[in-house]
Amino acid sequence: MAQQRGGKRLASREKQQVRRGNPFILPAILGVIVLVLLGIKLALPQFLSSAPTPPDWVTQELLEINPFSRPGTKLEEVTGIIVHYVGNPGTTAEQNRSFFAGLAQQEPAAEGEPDSNTYASSHFLIGLDGEIIQCIPLDEWSYCTSQRNKDTISIECCHPDEEGAFTEATYQSLLKLVHWLQEEFHLSTDQVIRHYDVTGKECPRYYVEHPEQWEQFKADLDQMQD
């Protein structure tokens, strides 16, 4: 009888263990769930912020991330395209890209000291022969348009002389690039503006001094929408 009672007690313990389960299973499951959620959290922003792939007529020469020309700050949205001129007559797209890259060699200002460093870049550079170089991904800031860096794509155009007028090859490439960007970001022609329209800076000079030519550029853009 004692053995039977002992057997009953043993059976009772086994049933309790079955009911309770392995005490380590629940923490392990929760740990796996946490790891999966963390993985999703890390991967989702990269998935959502994937930038448009440029066409094959654009050469990608992305700058290295640095504080002075490619901060790596993500654009929250794109609400405009801004046209600039480089301000260095006769220089090529590649030369201006090298200037942006060289800014990374500057030394950060010491704490408490005024910052005299130069901060400059653009998403695209268009050369005198119409070549297009991409310097900044389309989901990141460029340092080109002050308060509108946060929500615009900037295009710098080379020009042969001080007047700032673009060559025909530069002009045609600008039309082509802006049209593609409009389609990618669903922007109207009214959302294509000059640097001047943001800060009052005389940029791009030719289109500030000849506003009727800027209106012609926008008319040419509208024709491409048809």
Side-chain angles (χ1 to χ4, degrees):
M1 295 295 290
Q3 289 180 349
Q4 290 177 356
R5 287 195 298 271
K8 289 180 181 177
R9 286 197 296 272
L10 179 60
S12 177
R13 290 195 195 100
E14 290 174 346
K15 289 178 182 178
Q16 289 175 1
Q17 288 177 354
V18 169
R19 285 197 298 269
R20 291 174 183 170
N22 189 324
F24 299 105
I25 289 178
L26 184 57
I29 292 173
L30 291 175
V32 170
I33 292 173
V34 169
L35 289 174
V36 170
L37 291 175
L38 283 173
I40 293 173
K41 183 178 180 181
L42 291 172
L44 190 59
Q46 295 180 1
F47 175 77
L48 292 177
S49 66
S50 57
T53 302
D56 56 10
W57 36 267
V58 173
T59 301
Q60 274 194 318
E61 295 184 19
L62 301 181
L63 302 170
E64 296 291 331
I65 290 182
N66 70 88
F68 306 106
S69 56
R70 185 189 166 188
T73 307
K74 293 295 183 181
L75 289 166
E76 295 182 3
E77 59 180 341
V78 174
T79 63
I81 301 166
I82 302 186
V83 177
H84 308 250
Y85 86 138
V86 297
N88 298 309
T91 57
T92 67
E94 195 63 56
Q95 286 172 327
N96 283 280
R97 192 262 175 202
S98 295
F99 170 73
F100 293 154
L103 296 177
Q105 306 305 314
Q106 299 175 107
E107 291 293 333
E111 186 175 354
E113 294 295 323
D115 189 353
S116 59
N117 286 312
T118 298
Y119 297 79
S121 60
S122 64
H123 291 89
F124 296 97
L125 285 159
I126 303 181
L128 297 170
D129 296 322
E131 68 276 21
I132 303 173
I133 298 175
Q134 183 182 6
C135 302
I136 305 287
L138 292 174
D139 61 352
E140 293 182 16
W141 286 30
S142 68
Y143 281 144
C144 211
T145 323
S146 302
Q147 66 267 34
R148 292 299 304 275
N149 289 334
K150 63 184 180 181
D151 68 336
T152 57
I153 302 298
S154 282
I155 304 170
E156 291 260 13
C157 298
C158 298
H159 46 96
D161 53 40
E162 291 285 351
E163 183 184 26
F166 304 154
T167 66
E168 183 63 21
T170 302
Y171 185 84
Q172 293 301 324
S173 288
L174 179 62
L175 282 172
K176 188 176 181 180
L177 178 59
V178 171
H179 175 63
W180 176 74
L181 289 169
Q182 284 182 277
E183 291 190 326
E184 289 293 323
F185 292 104
H186 310 290
L187 302 174
S188 69
T189 300
D190 288 339
Q191 292 171 286
V192 181
I193 60 178
R194 302 164 296 180
H195 188 180
Y196 171 81
D197 299 314
V198 178
T199 66
K201 182 177 180 179
E202 193 180 49
C203 173
R205 175 176 290 172
Y206 182 77
Y207 291 109
V208 173
E209 295 181 346
H210 301 85
E212 73 283 359
Q213 293 302 319
W214 178 247
E215 291 304 317
Q216 182 60 57
F217 172 75
K218 293 173 70 174
D220 291 343
L221 268 182
D222 281 335
Q223 288 186 352
M224 297 181 74
Q225 308 300 324
D226 300 334

